[in-house]
Amino acid sequence: LFAGSGGVGIEALSRGYGEAVFVDSSPVCVESIQGNLEKCGLAARGRAVCARVEEVFADPARYGIDETAGPYNLITVTPPYEEVDYGELMTLIGGSSLVGEGTFVVVEYPIELKTLPPVIMNRLVGLRNRKYGRTVVAVYACQPDTDLEPRGDEFIAL
């Protein structure tokens, strides 16, 4: 989500993920993603959707996303920091049928936000929350199994 050049998803494809859907509202970014997929020989396994993230989550079928195929395994979220309301965004993602048991959600956010909550909508459980300069990366799992070790203590104000 907020795919930009598609670098995160393309890396996931290169490491064995089966398919990827890239969502960005910028036609320039979507064109760049398609070009990058082609250059990397991954065009058959990835596609870019030019739309607002909120619209895709509200009506996935409109964008060719089959909700009956089951939830996604991994959702990466790298929004432009000043252009989103993280509370609304995480509520949207947490309540979506595209997220299900075992889905991992990786969210990049600015340190100025302080922190995201350790649990979102009683579905997404924070596993890790790490700072890298001005950027913080939070990793959530949807209804994780007992083998994972959530570290809620990492979700305190940084």
Side-chain angles (χ1 to χ4, degrees):
L1 306 176
F2 306 98
S5 67
V8 173
I10 289 170
E11 182 66 23
L13 289 172
S14 77
R15 292 177 180 262
Y17 267 81
E19 297 176 359
V21 176
F22 301 83
V23 178
D24 203 288
S25 62
S26 165
V28 172
C29 288
V30 169
E31 187 177 319
S32 175
I33 293 165
Q34 285 301 145
N36 290 338
L37 286 166
E38 289 169 16
K39 288 176 188 164
C40 294
L42 298 168
R45 294 176 36 217
R47 67 181 180 92
V49 172
C50 189
R52 293 179 45 82
V53 166
E54 299 85 353
E55 294 169 358
V56 172
F57 273 85
D59 188 4
R62 177 178 175 200
Y63 300 95
I65 297 172
D66 180 9
E67 291 178 89
T68 64
Y72 281 85
N73 294 323
L74 174 66
I75 296 175
T76 63
V77 187
T78 55
Y81 293 162
E82 290 81 26
E83 295 180 27
V84 298
D85 178 318
Y86 281 86
E88 289 177 13
L89 177 63
M90 295 309 294
T91 298
L92 178 71
I93 293 168
S96 173
S97 62
L98 301 176
V99 174
E101 188 172 337
T103 298
F104 288 92
V105 179
V106 180
V107 185
E108 181 182 306
Y109 66 95
I111 194 164
E112 292 83 2
L113 194 60
K114 302 293 185 214
T115 191
L116 293 175
V119 177
I120 297 172
M121 298 186 67
N122 292 320
R123 288 185 79 209
L124 297 178
V125 177
L127 300 177
R128 302 290 183 274
N129 194 50
R130 303 285 170 85
K131 182 178 82 153
Y132 302 94
R134 180 179 174 248
T135 300
V136 183
V137 176
V139 178
Y140 289 89
C142 183
Q143 302 163 328
D145 63 29
T146 56
D147 291 342
L148 298 175
E149 295 179 25
R151 294 189 181 166
D153 59 316
E154 291 185 8
F155 290 81
I156 58 171
L158 300 169

